[in-house]
Structure formats: C-alpha cells, structure tokens
Amino acid sequence: LVEQALIPSVLAGEPVPLADLELRYIREVLDRCEGVKDRAAKILGIDRKTLYRKLQAADAADQASSEAIASR
C-alpha cells in the first residue's frame, strides 16, 4: 500500500540515489504509522535501533547541508 503511493511519484521524476529513496520510504511509513517508530520498524522489517540510526544519520546530513548553505 505504501509502495503503491511512493513508487509512481519517484518513477515520474528524475532518478534519485537509493539512499534518498530509502529515506523517503521510511518517512512515508512513519507518517502512515502516525510517528510510532516501533510499528514503522516492524512494517519496514528492521530493528527499532536501525530505524533510529537511519533517522539520526538523515537528520545529521540535513543539518550539515543547512549549515553549509547558511555559511555561503
């Protein structure tokens, strides 16, 4: 169900790196789980700690990107 909503929107645009697609999918699943990370991790088939680690890495990358843009 989530896949059906996400994949057509990705295929309609430019190709994206797999890591970006993974993060989009994780965020879509989290949104549909109303932010309940335990439930989202179960749906994704990953450990809750893995989900937290992926989200922390994405947040760190977003922050670094924002800081780089701000320093220009």
Side-chain angles (χ1 to χ4, degrees), residues 8-68:
S9 65
V10 170
L11 295 177
E14 291 293 316
V16 297
L18 185 56
D20 292 351
L21 182 59
E22 178 186 52
L23 185 57
R24 285 185 194 178
Y25 186 65
I26 287 170
R27 287 181 173 160
E28 178 68 25
V29 171
L30 266 173
D31 185 50
R32 292 185 183 223
C33 291
E34 298 177 349
V36 180
K37 292 180 179 76
D38 287 339
R39 185 169 170 225
K42 186 174 182 178
I43 290 169
L44 291 165
I46 60 176
D47 190 79
R48 182 179 44 85
K49 290 179 183 180
T50 301
L51 177 60
Y52 276 96
R53 199 169 39 250
K54 288 180 180 288
L55 292 170
Q56 286 177 338
D59 288 344
D62 288 346
Q63 185 176 1
S65 178
S66 295
E67 288 172 0

